[in-house]
Amino acid sequence: IVCEMAPAPQRSPPGPVQLCVGECRPELRALSSQIYSFVTPSMLALTPARGPESGGTKVTIVGENLGAGSSVIVRFGNQTCELYRRTTSEIVCFSAPSLTGAGSAPVTLRVDRGRAPGSLAFEYIEDPTVQRIEPQWSITSGHTTLMVTGTNLDVVQEPRVRVKYGGHESVNVCKVLNTTTISCFAPSLKAEFSQGQETVKHVDEFGFVFNNVQALLTYNSTSFIYYPNPHLEPLSLSGVLEQKPGTPIILKGRNLVPSASGGARLNYTVYIGDYPCSLTVSDTQLLCEPPNLTGQHKILVQVGGLHISPGAVHIRSDSLLTLPAILSIAAGGGLLLIIVFLVLLAYRRKSHENDLTLKRLQMQMDNLESRVALECKEAFAELQTDINELTSDLDRAGIPFLDYRMYTMRVLFPGIDDHPVLRELEVPGSGQAGVEKALKQLAQLVNNKVFLLAFIRTLELQRSFSMRDRGYLASLVMTALQGRLEYATDILKHLLSDLIQRNLDSKNHPKLLLRRTESVAEKMLTNWFAFLLHKFLKECAGEPLFMLFCAIKQQMEKGPIDCITGEARYSLSEDKLIRQQIEYKTLTLSCVNPESENSPEIPVKVLNCDSLTQVKEKILDAIYKNMPYSQRPLVGDMDLEWRQGRTARVVLQDEDITTKIESDWKRLNTLMHYQVSERCVVALVPKQMSSYNLPISASFPRSISKYGVDPFRSTPTSPDSPHSRVPMLTPDMESGVKVWHLVKNHDHGDQKEGERGSKMVSEIYLTRLLATKGTLQKFVDDLFESLFSTTCRGTALPLAIKYMFDFLDEQADKHGIHDVDVRHTWKSNCLPLRFWVNVIKNPQFVFDIHKSSITDACLSVVAQTFMDSCSTSEHRLGKDSPSTKLLYAKDIPHYKNWVERYYADISRLPAISDQDMNAYLAEQARLHSQEFNVLSALHEIYAYISKYSQEITEALEQDEQAQKQKLAYKLEQIIIAMSSES
């Protein structure tokens, strides 16, 4: 009995089927043993959700109660999906060709008269296409790798490649690599058409089985060729080749290298037993370098789908020595031992005489090493005490960071304090409004990617566009785009991609990329990091850098510093080391508090060999230690008074009428010269005009008393006095007198023989470099550790670093650069050498401080060590190596491990999406959007447009995108408007 169900009420309970004959009385009724249930089929998901327009995609619809009912119809839009199978939880069907082309088609499921709920859609994608096959040949046995390039190749479920020859068809499998690439194994020709034939075969048909895509079943854009299979001759008549260990095995044959054009070659693998051997392939033979084996082993050659065994090889072990040979060797060895024993006995007697000398030298070396270690230990303990005091001061006053605007200006425009981008645009005459209107139109062009890239690329092609111009333009562009950092980042990535491509095209070594600032992109990269790492500097890296700067400054000032040559007793730089024994003593002066003379006096530590300018600097450091340098009085604006009692006040100066002159050398005055002693009272007062400001020959005889009051009496001064303007570190040009402080310039050889004899050998003083290095080691380590850590002081790694490193990795992948050293060097040139080295050498870019020449020399040594730590090349050190390299030679391998770990940690961090990066860039742009005047920056940029207007216009007229947007016309309108206003 076959019946059709009528609709059932909602929530009808399950039950047995009743069958009644006539009437439904118990004797005329039968009940089924099975239970019939009412269910509602529903669709939840489908995989895959897309397929080619031509159909044939095997689609699985997942849902509930899909096995209910008697008939099922699945439709994609108006097309029926051919049912393959169904179960309670899924339905499998094959998609029909799309009638409406590519696009989304709603999926409907009808079970009998009911329609299953669920809103699913299947997306028809344009049929895959094949653009290129590489190589376009194989061997008769097939199974060689073919790389197929095209479009939408990833929508094919089970791609296969087919070939038809002589009425017979062969297929083989493919593997999808990505949307545009699949890898296929070439099909083999049928056995009856391949045996005994040594000819090249051109196939009848070659194509692909891509679901229902009929267009590619026969691919007309190729003439696929089959070359004969390689043939190998037997190794020997017996099938076993006798070989000595280490002798190469030669396998002779024919057809080993197909005569195909292009770079593709057959991939041979040869096994000696279970071990592969290294191969050299030629047209008629395979040369195999066997592994270190003995005994008999079968040789197996694999190429494509072909497995050939030309025989076996028997490798004989080296024959054992005969008994007479062994006895001869033993006799010769015994005789040699007797001779060696006699030589050793003579050598021992001779060397015993040198033992005492060696022991004496060793004791001297140990004593020298102990002295250096003790000096390091004492100096470090003393410096640590000073730094602890400094740290407590910092806790109260904070590190004197420059604000964002001043910091970025010093990085972007070094040496230019008052740049136009800091001020409102001022146009002389009445053309202000017209110029501003034209510059706003220029802003629209600068914010157009096509224009800005063409503008920068055109300028870089001009010979007269110097390196300085490139850096300046890069800084102007970044200031103009401060409010649109997402756009600026996009431009930077395009320019860096161009730079990498140019670097590789010009056959330069890839490691040279980003090493020097020779392009706009490289300077823009520095500026980009400067913008985005300011917060990281303030929260993390700034403190160890400032502590290193303070430690260097304090350590240098503990010993004598020559204020003319810049040399110091304590130094990391050999060039700035005093190589003489300077006698000096530490004094503590009591300085009158400038705020109130009734307040307690301030103790200041100085050296009795300090020049008066150095004393004033140390006093200013002590009085204003918690104040930024720019807010302190200048040394040149202050006079130093030595107060003796209530009324006697002597003004101390580097040069006055008491200055000593011997022959043609004039020595600067020091505290020792004035006989200033411990706990003397001094005061800093505003500079005043005094008689000692006049030239020595003007009015006072040389016989005047050193301690006379009149020459030092304070009187009003003129700001234009010679000593307030002209540096006193240069020789007096009229008299030919040369000025010196602690040591006379090395260029002058007129020292007395006695003076020369009293000096120790200058190289002995190089141990002071070690002592200074040991004292400052902790501060250098702290700085490097904070810069080479992904979690510095609890601060997360800045997004900019991860984003840029990932970009460089993408570029390396794109250009097929897999050399780990090249990738490491790109990252080092990008961030540590491009940004951090600049900051380490110039802490005044970050802090409101003054950097002296000796501090600069020491920071340069630290920066050089930092650069060496980021390098992948090994530095071979010898006795002639520079001391800066020798000084940190033992530490650099340790630092290199930090760098490698840092780069590895960054690569393991999750990638930053463009959306997250753009949100971060937008936030940074919002925070600092008002720092620079955009119109002023654009006005500076326009100067380059005006200079190269013809070249830029020609470039825009030749660019297809620029033509569509009429950029050349727009630029000409701006030039006309600016010209009329000027």
Side-chain angles (χ1 to χ4, degrees):
I1 298 173
V2 180
C3 64
E4 186 177 295
M5 282 294 305
Q10 285 288 334
R11 298 182 182 174
S12 297
V17 176
Q18 291 188 62
L19 177 61
C20 298
V21 181
E23 302 174 20
C24 278
R25 292 182 303 191
E27 65 270 21
L28 298 175
R29 179 176 63 191
L31 295 178
S32 68
S33 60
Q34 292 173 295
I35 300 299
Y36 188 91
S37 303
F38 296 94
V39 295
T40 303
S42 64
M43 299 183 295
L44 299 177
L46 81 161
T47 54
R50 60 181 196 149
E53 292 179 43
S54 296
T57 305
K58 191 176 183 180
V59 181
T60 301
I61 300 172
V62 180
E64 296 175 346
N65 303 313
L66 298 180
S70 56
S71 67
V72 171
I73 298 175
V74 180
R75 289 182 183 276
F76 291 174
N78 295 326
Q79 294 296 98
T80 303
C81 188
E82 181 186 344
L83 187 65
Y84 176 63
R85 72 166 188 272
R86 68 169 177 151
T87 64
T88 306
S89 60
E90 67 178 29
I91 293 175
V92 180
C93 64
F94 290 98
S95 66
S98 171
L99 298 178
T100 58
S104 181
V107 178
T108 57
L109 170 63
R110 298 196 69 86
V111 181
D112 296 336
R113 294 182 182 175
R115 178 171 175 171
S119 56
L120 302 179
F122 181 82
E123 175 132 13
Y124 281 104
I125 305 295
E126 288 184 4
D127 285 346
T129 64
V130 172
Q131 296 166 343
R132 193 172 76 251
I133 303 166
E134 187 68 30
Q136 297 189 17
W137 58 267
S138 182
I139 56 176
T140 309
S141 61
H143 217 71
T144 60
T145 303
L146 308 177
M147 298 304 294
V148 181
T149 307
T151 61
N152 298 333
L153 297 178
D154 59 333
V155 301
V156 184
Q157 286 177 306
E158 296 177 357
R160 288 174 293 164
V161 59
R162 63 177 285 273
V163 66
K164 191 172 182 180
Y165 180 75
H168 288 77
E169 182 172 325
S170 301
V171 295
N172 211 338
V173 296
C174 299
K175 179 183 177 183
V176 176
L177 301 180
N178 53 47
T179 307
T180 59
T181 313
I182 60 174
S183 171
C184 298
F185 289 116
S188 61
L189 294 187
K190 293 295 183 180
E192 58 267 27
F193 293 99
S194 59
Q195 292 295 330
Q197 295 190 19
E198 294 286 327
T199 58
V200 175
K201 303 172 185 65
H202 296 267
V203 297
D204 301 330
E205 290 183 13
F206 181 88
F208 299 90
V209 182
F210 288 169
N211 292 7
N212 262 7
V213 180
Q214 301 298 315
L216 293 176
L217 280 174
T218 301
Y219 181 59
N220 295 325
S221 298
T222 183
S223 51
F224 201 83
I225 297 174
Y226 275 90
Y227 289 98
N229 281 337
H231 173 76
L232 290 173
E233 299 173 1
L235 284 173
S236 66
L237 293 175
S238 62
V240 178
L241 178 67
E242 296 290 336
Q243 286 278 104
K244 290 183 179 180
T247 307
I249 300 170
I250 299 174
L251 305 175
K252 294 183 179 179
R254 61 180 183 274
N255 304 331
L256 300 183
V257 179
S259 57
S261 60
R265 291 288 182 266
L266 286 176
N267 187 18
Y268 286 90
T269 307
V270 177
Y271 289 94
I272 312 294
D274 296 328
Y275 300 95
C277 70
S278 58
L279 276 179
T280 303
V281 182
S282 67
D283 290 342
T284 57
Q285 65 182 25
L286 303 180
L287 186 68
C288 165
E289 297 286 345
N292 190 15
L293 296 172
T294 56
Q296 186 166 319
H297 302 276
K298 182 181 179 182
I299 296 180
L300 181 65
V301 180
Q302 296 179 2
V303 53
L306 204 59
H307 293 71
I308 311 169
S309 179
V313 62
H314 182 260
I315 303 174
R316 301 187 303 273
S317 60
D318 291 334
S319 58
L320 298 174
L321 292 171
T322 61
L323 185 62
I326 293 173
L327 291 174
S328 300
I329 292 172
L335 183 62
L336 183 64
L337 281 174
I338 293 170
I339 295 170
V340 168
F341 177 76
L342 294 173
V343 170
L344 285 175
L345 193 63
Y347 173 75
R348 185 178 177 187
R349 284 184 178 179
K350 184 70 177 174
S351 63
H352 182 71
E353 299 172 3
N354 298 325
D355 282 349
L356 292 175
T357 306
L358 287 172
K359 285 179 181 178
R360 283 198 300 272
L361 285 173
Q362 188 64 46
M363 287 177 64
Q364 290 174 2
M365 292 297 292
D366 290 344
N367 289 337
L368 180 61
E369 194 173 325
S370 299
R371 285 205 306 273
V372 172
L374 183 62
E375 187 176 350
C376 276
K377 189 174 179 182
E378 291 174 352
F380 181 74
E382 187 177 350
L383 181 63
Q384 200 63 40
T385 306
D386 295 339
I387 293 297
N388 288 338
E389 292 175 8
L390 178 70
T391 306
S392 61
D393 291 337
L394 290 179
D395 291 340
R396 290 194 300 274
I399 295 173
F401 283 104
L402 292 171
D403 60 19
Y404 180 85
R405 173 187 286 197
M406 191 57 66
Y407 152 76
T408 49
M409 285 304 296
R410 290 191 177 181
V411 177
L412 269 61
F413 305 103
I416 306 176
D417 292 332
D418 186 24
H419 197 276
V421 299
L422 298 176
R423 306 188 301 271
E424 292 292 327
L425 178 67
E426 294 180 2
V427 179
S430 58
Q432 180 86 20
V435 169
E436 288 187 1
K437 181 181 177 182
L439 289 177
K440 286 174 182 176
Q441 292 173 350
L442 178 59
Q444 295 176 358
L445 277 186
V446 169
N447 285 309
N448 182 303
K449 190 158 126 184
V450 176
F451 172 81
L452 187 54
L453 289 174
F455 169 59
I456 293 173
R457 289 165 180 164
T458 304
L459 260 59
E460 289 193 316
L461 292 174
Q462 310 308 312
R463 287 193 174 185
S464 60
F465 192 63
S466 65
M467 298 301 171
R468 184 171 183 176
D469 288 332
R470 292 164 200 255
Y472 189 64
L473 177 66
S475 296
L476 290 174
V477 169
M478 288 302 286
T479 52
L481 300 179
Q482 169 75 75
R484 289 199 61 200
L485 282 179
E486 311 102 296
Y487 172 61
T489 304
D490 188 30
I491 294 294
L492 174 60
K493 286 169 65 178
H494 273 82
L495 292 174
L496 286 175
S497 298
D498 290 351
L499 185 64
I500 292 169
Q501 187 65 55
R502 288 202 307 272
N503 178 271
L504 298 176
D505 290 345
S506 62
K507 305 299 183 184
N508 287 337
H509 197 286
K511 287 186 179 182
L512 296 177
L513 181 73
L514 303 175
R515 179 162 293 183
R516 295 180 293 271
T517 302
E518 295 182 346
S519 66
V520 174
E522 288 165 303
K523 179 62 175 175
M524 280 184 71
L525 180 61
T526 304
N527 300 342
W528 187 78
F529 275 125
F531 283 172
L532 299 180
L533 295 186
H534 178 250
K535 183 169 181 279
F536 179 73
L537 268 169
K538 291 196 72 169
E539 294 179 357
C540 172
E543 183 180 339
L545 176 60
F546 186 70
M547 297 303 286
L548 173 64
F549 167 77
C550 293
I552 290 173
K553 185 174 185 296
Q554 297 218 6
Q555 183 61 23
M556 299 306 106
E557 291 179 354
K558 285 185 184 303
I561 301 175
D562 192 298
C563 67
I564 293 177
T565 65
E567 297 174 354
R569 184 183 195 277
Y570 297 109
S571 172
L572 289 177
S573 170
E574 182 182 354
D575 297 335
K576 291 293 182 181
L577 181 70
I578 292 181
R579 302 196 187 199
Q580 295 181 23
Q581 190 69 31
I582 305 293
E583 298 296 332
Y584 69 97
K585 188 170 68 173
T586 303
L587 301 178
T588 303
L589 302 182
S590 299
C591 182
V592 175
N593 193 319
E595 302 295 330
S596 169
E597 296 207 1
N598 297 324
S599 300
E601 293 165 345
I602 301 169
V604 182
K605 283 188 177 182
V606 296
L607 305 179
N608 63 348
C609 63
D610 283 344
S611 71
L612 279 309
T613 299
Q614 291 174 329
V615 174
K616 287 192 282 185
E617 287 173 348
K618 290 182 179 180
I619 292 174
L620 286 172
D621 284 341
I623 296 174
Y624 302 104
K625 59 184 176 182
N626 296 330
M627 188 178 292
Y629 183 77
S630 62
Q631 298 174 23
R632 301 181 186 181
L634 295 175
V635 173
D637 296 338
M638 306 299 287
D639 271 338
L640 179 65
E641 283 187 351
W642 177 13
R643 299 192 173 180
Q644 303 171 19
R646 289 181 172 275
T647 56
R649 298 185 179 187
V650 179
V651 176
L652 311 182
Q653 263 213 333
D654 288 321
E655 292 184 60
D656 58 23
I657 58 173
T658 69
T659 301
K660 292 181 179 178
I661 298 180
E662 294 181 2
S663 65
D664 57 348
W665 285 96
K666 176 166 64 177
R667 184 168 190 173
L668 295 182
N669 297 339
T670 62
L671 291 180
M672 193 189 308
H673 167 79
Y674 286 109
Q675 299 181 8
V676 176
S677 56
E678 182 78 7
R679 291 294 174 188
C680 282
V681 179
V682 295
L684 279 183
V685 295
K687 202 170 191 64
Q688 300 173 16
M689 180 63 178
S690 310
S691 55
Y692 58 77
N693 282 83
L694 300 173
I696 292 173
S697 59
S699 29
F700 296 102
R702 294 297 304 267
S703 59
I704 199 161
S705 168
K706 188 194 303 182
Y707 300 107
V709 177
D710 290 339
F712 305 101
R713 184 64 64 193
S714 299
T715 53
T717 186
S718 160
D720 296 319
S721 64
H723 287 269
S724 66
R725 297 277 179 169
V726 180
M728 47 97 190
L729 306 183
T730 56
D732 187 326
M733 298 307 292
E734 294 180 5
S735 61
V737 173
K738 297 180 285 289
V739 181
W740 70 293
H741 175 207
L742 299 177
V743 292
K744 292 179 180 177
N745 195 316
H746 304 307
D747 297 334
H748 298 281
D750 56 352
Q751 296 157 336
K752 294 178 183 175
E753 194 62 39
E755 290 177 355
R756 267 197 212 97
S758 67
K759 294 177 188 175
M760 297 170 65
V761 180
S762 64
E763 277 67 19
I764 290 179
Y765 292 100
L766 292 178
T767 55
R768 288 183 187 163
L769 299 178
L770 275 177
T772 308
K773 181 244 181 183
T775 309
L776 300 172
Q777 186 68 51
K778 176 183 178 297
F779 303 97
V780 175
D781 286 349
D782 285 351
L783 174 62
F784 285 17
E785 190 172 3
S786 65
L787 296 183
F788 296 138
S789 170
T790 53
T791 55
C792 165
R793 301 167 187 257
T795 305
L797 181 81
L799 294 182
I801 296 176
K802 170 65 177 170
Y803 188 77
M804 189 51 65
F805 278 20
D806 283 356
F807 170 74
L808 292 176
D809 281 336
E810 287 171 15
Q811 289 293 311
D813 290 339
K814 175 182 172 183
H815 294 286
I817 296 175
H818 304 293
D819 187 340
V820 177
D821 284 356
V822 172
R823 291 177 178 236
H824 181 106
T825 304
W826 281 13
K827 293 172 183 177
S828 296
N829 292 348
C830 159
L831 174 66
L833 273 60
R834 181 151 297 283
F835 180 74
W836 287 127
V837 165
N838 196 20
V839 170
I840 292 172
K841 290 181 71 172
N842 299 288
Q844 73 275 15
F845 286 2
V846 183
F847 312 112
D848 191 349
I849 55 174
H850 170 66
K851 181 182 70 171
S852 64
S853 64
I854 179 62
T855 308
D856 178 66
C858 294
L859 287 171
S860 295
V861 174
V862 175
Q864 181 62 51
T865 304
F866 187 85
M867 292 165 67
D868 293 341
S869 304
C870 297
S871 170
T872 56
S873 57
E874 291 296 327
H875 295 283
R876 292 179 177 264
L877 298 175
K879 62 180 182 179
D880 297 324
S881 299
S883 61
T884 51
K885 301 233 182 236
L886 293 171
L887 202 56
Y888 282 93
K890 288 186 178 180
D891 304 279
I892 286 175
H894 184 51
Y895 294 147
K896 283 188 174 184
N897 291 336
W898 288 4
V899 178
E900 289 171 4
R901 183 195 64 202
Y902 175 60
Y903 290 171
D905 288 347
I906 292 176
S907 66
R908 283 194 291 269
L909 291 174
I912 302 166
S913 67
D914 288 338
Q915 183 179 359
D916 289 345
M917 189 64 189
N918 286 339
Y920 167 71
L921 292 170
E923 175 63 15
Q924 293 300 308
R926 184 187 63 79
L927 288 173
H928 305 295
S929 60
Q930 303 301 318
E931 299 289 352
F932 308 112
N933 188 294
V934 176
L935 287 182
S936 296
L938 291 169
H939 195 259
E940 295 286 309
I941 291 173
Y942 178 77
Y944 288 108
I945 293 176
S946 176
K947 182 176 180 181
Y948 300 104
S949 58
Q950 183 178 349
E951 292 86 349
I952 297 168
T953 306
E954 288 175 359
L956 293 175
E957 287 172 347
Q958 293 170 6
D959 187 282
E960 187 177 339
Q961 292 290 328
Q963 289 174 3
K964 291 179 182 178
Q965 301 177 36
K966 299 182 178 178
L967 297 182
Y969 172 75
K970 292 178 181 178
L971 180 64
E972 287 173 357
Q973 295 303 307
I974 293 170
I975 294 172
I976 292 169
M978 292 291 287
S979 300
S980 63
E981 293 300 336
S982 64

